[in-house]
């Protein structure tokens, strides 16, 4: 459950606002103070008005409060399930596209419905169409990804919807857009710097950009990896739930080192985390790490690093 008052207070303080700055004829400073302390409730209309005055969307407020139950994107992703091209899964994908389209026609779901429809169609083209082109170079994919890229570039702050959209559409983004949006994720996600769980989410967002860039833009990938490391270094060293993030960082550094010329040293570093994954019972991550490191080494030694698709992370 969201502690609405505490979440509101965190947002207000992050904006550098005092309670008196938000006072209105029908919303007194006393009411706001009691709401923040959990001593009273306020109506949804009043809360939405206060959020609007602070420049915070309803979705962002729910995101910061940790409530996923009302998020359209999460609901549709759950309905859609994992997509690997199997007939049953394709049927689920088609059904999700149809429901999102109907929701749009009837004014339901808002921006989430629009983007889930576009995301579904992008995936459908990616699974259906056999081509030698990179995913992001396909005309059909560009058509559905570009609105998401434009939306993210124009958003003044990144909330739950923005982070979700970036994660959903990144396979269809060009390396140039991935790098630009990876930088924006840092600049515009200031809210999350104070929230432990969202710091971890921000690390994952940066890693998403790195993984999309690693085989397409080495300099950009190095920049994203440095950003990821800086966020991790600023977090509590004793947080056990960061262990896998740090293991992932080590293997990522190894991949980058391989592409920068130190093939054997980088390969050894990338593979060094495999035993730790195996001990932890994380067999899927162990196999993925080995597969990625071995393929990277093989193609570099053969002089064909361009054969590794920039969306390789989708294979996990």
């Amino acid at each position: 459950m969201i502690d609405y008052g505490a979440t509101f207070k965190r947002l207000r303080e992050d904006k550098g606002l005092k309670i008196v700055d938000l006072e209105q004829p029908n919303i007194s400073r006393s009411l706001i103070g009691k709401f923040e302390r959990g001593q009273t409730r306020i109506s949804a209309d009043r809360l939405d008005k206060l959020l609007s005055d602070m420049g915070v969307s309803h979705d962002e407020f729910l995101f910061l409060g940790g409530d996923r139950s009302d998020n359209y994107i999460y609901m549709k992703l759950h309905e859609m399930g994992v997509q690997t091209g199997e007939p049953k899964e394709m049927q689920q994908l088609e059904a999700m596209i149809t429901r999102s389209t109907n929701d749009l026609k009837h004014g339901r779901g808002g921006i989430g419905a629009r983007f889930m429809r576009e995301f579904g169609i992008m995936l459908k083209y990616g699974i259906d169409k056999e081509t030698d082109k990179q995913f992001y170079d396909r005309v059909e994919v560009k058509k559905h990804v570009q609105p998401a890229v434009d939306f993210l570039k124009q958003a003044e702050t990144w909330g739950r919807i923005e982070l979700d959209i970036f994660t959903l559409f990144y396979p269809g983004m060009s390396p140039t857009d991935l790098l630009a949006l990876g930088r924006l994720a840092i600049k515009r996600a200031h809210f999350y710097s104070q929230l432990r769980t969202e710091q971890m989410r921000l690390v994952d967002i940066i890693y998403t950009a790195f993984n999309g860039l690693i085989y397409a833009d080495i300099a950009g990938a190095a920049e994203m990896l440095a950003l990821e490391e800086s966020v991790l270094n600023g977090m509590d060293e004793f947080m056990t739930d960061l262990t896998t993030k740090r293991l992932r960082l080590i293997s990522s550094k190894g991949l980058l080192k391989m592409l920068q010329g130190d093939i054997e040293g980088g390969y050894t570093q990338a593979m060094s985390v495999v035993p730790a994954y195996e001990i932890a019972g994380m067999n899927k991550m162990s196999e993925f790490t080995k597969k990625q490191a071995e393929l990277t080494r093989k193609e570099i030694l053969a002089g064909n690093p361009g054969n590794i698709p920039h969306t390789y992370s989708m294979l996990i």
Side-chain angles (χ1 to χ4, degrees):
M1 295 294 290
I2 292 182
D3 185 341
Y4 290 99
T7 301
F8 181 86
K9 181 180 180 181
R10 185 162 60 244
L11 281 164
R12 175 179 62 76
E13 291 178 342
D14 189 83
K15 289 281 189 178
L17 297 171
K18 298 178 180 179
I19 289 179
V20 67
D21 296 326
L22 298 172
E23 187 176 26
Q24 300 173 25
N26 64 337
I27 310 178
S28 67
R29 70 184 75 176
S30 174
L31 176 63
I32 297 172
K34 289 180 179 179
F35 171 61
E36 289 187 348
R37 294 190 295 273
Q39 297 172 348
T40 189
R41 298 179 180 181
I42 63 174
S43 69
D45 289 343
R46 285 179 174 176
L47 177 58
D48 283 342
K49 180 65 170 65
L50 290 170
L51 292 175
S52 177
D53 288 348
M54 290 196 299
V56 176
S57 70
H58 183 73
D59 280 306
E60 185 171 33
F61 182 72
L62 291 176
F63 171 37
L64 290 171
D67 186 349
R68 294 189 172 200
S69 62
D70 292 329
N71 185 275
Y72 187 92
I73 287 178
Y74 279 104
M75 289 190 291
K76 292 305 174 192
L77 283 175
H78 180 72
E79 291 176 10
M80 185 184 73
V82 177
Q83 292 293 318
T84 60
E86 295 296 324
K88 182 179 178 181
E89 292 162 355
M90 288 297 292
Q91 290 172 7
Q92 288 179 289
L93 178 60
E94 290 281 7
M96 187 279 288
I97 295 171
T98 299
R99 283 192 291 270
S100 297
T101 301
N102 289 335
D103 286 342
L104 273 175
K105 289 180 180 178
H106 294 91
R108 297 188 297 263
I111 193 171
R114 175 160 63 90
F115 278 107
M116 281 309 297
R117 178 182 180 277
E118 297 298 303
F119 169 67
I121 295 174
M122 179 196 78
L123 266 191
K124 181 182 174 183
Y125 277 120
I127 295 171
D128 282 349
K129 308 297 181 181
E130 292 294 334
T131 175
D132 292 333
K133 284 187 176 181
Q134 286 279 17
F135 194 69
Y136 62 86
D137 279 334
R138 300 177 192 177
V139 175
E140 304 95 331
V141 171
K142 287 181 179 179
K143 174 183 176 182
H144 295 287
V145 173
Q146 195 57 49
V149 171
D150 292 342
F151 171 81
L152 291 173
K153 287 182 176 179
Q154 294 168 10
E156 293 185 6
T157 59
W158 278 33
R160 179 177 192 167
I161 288 291
E162 287 78 10
L163 293 176
D164 285 342
I165 288 171
F166 178 66
T167 304
L168 289 172
F169 283 88
Y170 95 92
M173 293 179 186
S174 69
T176 300
D177 286 333
L178 266 177
L179 181 58
L181 292 174
R183 291 166 174 165
L184 282 179
I186 294 293
K187 292 182 179 179
R188 297 183 177 175
H190 178 58
F191 290 131
Y192 318 129
S193 64
Q194 306 303 317
L195 305 171
R196 182 179 65 84
T197 56
E198 301 319 324
Q199 284 179 327
M200 294 181 66
R201 181 177 172 84
L202 188 56
V203 167
D204 286 338
I205 292 295
I206 301 168
Y207 174 72
T208 296
F210 163 80
N211 228 11
L213 289 166
I214 182 64
Y215 300 112
D217 180 350
I218 297 176
E223 180 182 332
M224 290 298 104
L225 199 61
L227 285 173
E228 180 183 354
E229 185 171 20
S230 69
V231 176
L232 280 172
N233 287 342
M235 298 173 72
D236 188 344
E237 288 292 329
F238 299 99
M239 286 171 54
T240 57
D241 48 2
L242 282 181
T243 301
T244 56
K245 311 287 186 189
R246 294 193 171 101
L247 288 175
R248 189 177 67 186
L249 180 66
I250 292 170
S251 63
S252 297
K253 285 184 173 181
L255 291 176
L256 185 62
K257 188 181 292 186
M258 292 168 69
L259 290 163
Q260 289 172 332
D262 185 357
I263 302 174
E264 297 307 324
Y267 178 74
T268 299
Q269 182 171 354
M271 293 291 286
S272 69
V273 304
V274 171
Y277 282 136
E278 292 175 344
I279 291 173
M282 300 176 67
N283 296 327
K284 187 176 180 181
M285 280 302 300
S286 173
E287 288 303 313
F288 173 71
T289 301
K290 285 193 289 186
K291 183 178 180 181
Q292 190 175 29
E294 289 169 356
L295 176 62
T296 301
R297 180 174 180 271
K298 173 186 174 183
E299 295 296 348
I300 292 176
L301 289 174
N304 301 312
N307 286 350
I308 310 171
H310 95 289
T311 51
Y312 182 76
S313 60
M314 294 177 69
L315 301 178
I316 187 170

